[in-house]
Amino acid sequence: MELKDFMDMKLLQKLQDDFSTATGLAAIAVGKHGEYITEGSNFTDFCMKYTRGSSEEGNRRCIKCDNECTGTYFCHAGLMDFAFDIVVNGEKMGAMIGGQVLPAPPDEQQFRNTAKELGIDPDAYYEAVKKVPVSSEKRIRASAALFEEIVTFMVELEYYRFTSAGRLETLQKEVTSSTALVDDINSYTANLKKISSKQRILALNASIEAARSGEAGAGFSVVAKSMQDLSSQSDDIYKDIEESAVKITAAFKNLGDLFK
């Protein structure tokens, strides 16, 4: 599984863009195989065009930083960068990298010397670094740490939604099925109540006929009385069933409303 399999990449891109706009830090997400999976936000010409793009030695040093550095750190060119893994259930799904900011105004001589080491025109290199955002080291570290927390929370939430979708759908189907069964119980109970009512009438008629028969109907009178008692008990049972069915129906309705 890869990050893009469950993550809303447009949402991740927006979060990344908003973070870069608010802090001045560059950012980009990479997949588990090292490929870029978002568009870069707030990347600087100093890093991309000059340090990495116009110097073989600069590119080599940048790649070395990419591969070896984690957390918030100073890159070989003197800027501050950050990198953190995106992990779900113990599996690395990718990483977020960025930074490209200065912790203090640039020292002209320092960057001119770096340009000479990398074989880059010192004047152009210094002009480029003057356009790099400047912030305090404390603020840069705090911004990167907060960004990691937000990305981690959002990715875990998206993963939970993705993995729970099938289970919630199954539960919803079971709720619907169980509600239908309760409806069947209500229908059966109604039919049984009708039978019980007829049974009570028959028992009453039997008692009347037994009374008319005098001593000859005494035994039948006992049977009729037992039928009346059973009918009365059945009414109580059916009433209990109906009340329970109403409660179960209400419970399923409340549970079903959670999925709407």
Side-chain angles (χ1 to χ4, degrees):
M1 180 179 292
E2 298 186 16
L3 193 63
K4 60 184 179 181
D5 292 333
F6 63 87
M7 185 70 202
D8 183 344
M9 298 308 295
K10 291 182 179 179
L11 180 62
L12 182 61
Q13 182 72 57
K14 184 178 186 306
L15 173 63
Q16 175 189 297
D17 292 340
D18 289 346
F19 166 77
S20 292
T21 300
T23 64
L25 278 69
I28 193 168
V30 297
K32 64 193 305 182
H33 304 296
E35 74 284 8
Y36 294 130
I37 57 176
T38 60
E39 298 292 329
S41 304
N42 208 39
F43 275 29
T44 65
D45 283 346
F46 173 80
C47 289
M48 306 310 295
K49 181 179 179 180
Y50 292 98
T51 307
R52 190 184 292 262
S54 66
S55 167
E56 183 176 339
E57 175 60 17
N59 185 54
R60 185 192 69 79
R61 294 183 184 183
C62 287
I63 292 175
K64 187 173 186 295
C65 285
D66 292 343
N67 293 334
E68 297 179 2
C69 299
T70 59
T72 305
Y73 60 91
F74 287 90
C75 76
H76 70 93
L79 275 62
M80 288 192 72
D81 288 341
F82 69 83
F84 59 82
D85 290 340
I86 300 174
V87 179
V88 177
N89 280 348
E91 179 182 357
K92 181 179 177 180
M93 296 290 181
M96 189 68 73
I97 60 176
Q100 300 185 8
V101 288
L102 287 164
D107 181 289
E108 181 176 356
Q109 190 57 50
Q110 174 189 339
F111 283 96
R112 286 184 176 276
N113 292 338
T114 300
K116 291 178 182 178
E117 290 178 11
L118 302 179
I120 302 172
D121 176 53
D123 291 334
Y125 200 58
Y126 181 62
E127 286 301 314
V129 78
K130 288 196 296 184
K131 298 177 182 179
V132 173
V134 179
S135 185
S136 69
E137 180 177 345
K138 181 178 180 181
R139 182 173 296 177
I140 295 169
R141 292 186 182 279
S143 297
L146 179 60
F147 189 42
E148 180 176 3
E149 290 182 9
I150 294 173
V151 170
T152 299
F153 175 79
M154 186 175 69
V155 169
E156 289 179 348
L157 179 60
E158 289 290 296
Y159 181 76
Y160 172 78
R161 287 176 177 172
F162 175 78
T163 55
S164 298
R167 285 177 287 183
L168 291 176
E169 183 179 353
T170 300
L171 181 57
Q172 186 174 16
K173 289 180 179 179
E174 291 299 324
V175 169
T176 301
S177 177
S178 298
T179 302
L181 289 175
V182 172
D183 289 339
D184 289 341
I185 292 174
N186 286 328
S187 177
Y188 298 150
T189 302
N191 290 333
L192 289 173
K193 285 182 69 177
K194 292 178 182 177
I195 294 173
S196 176
S197 179
K198 292 178 180 179
Q199 183 184 16
R200 186 166 56 253
I201 293 173
L202 289 173
L204 179 60
N205 290 336
S207 297
I208 293 172
E209 292 300 323
R212 289 176 180 175
S213 300
E215 292 183 4
F220 190 63
S221 178
V222 174
V223 174
K225 179 64 169 61
S226 296
M227 289 178 63
Q228 286 181 315
D229 292 341
L230 286 173
S231 178
S232 178
Q233 292 175 18
S234 297
D235 283 342
D236 292 338
I237 293 172
Y238 299 148
K239 182 179 179 181
D240 290 341
I241 293 175
E242 282 185 324
E243 290 177 353
S244 297
V246 168
K247 293 178 181 178
I248 294 172
T249 300
F252 280 130
K253 182 180 182 302
N254 292 335
L255 187 58
D257 288 343
L258 295 176
F259 303 102
K260 294 180 180 180

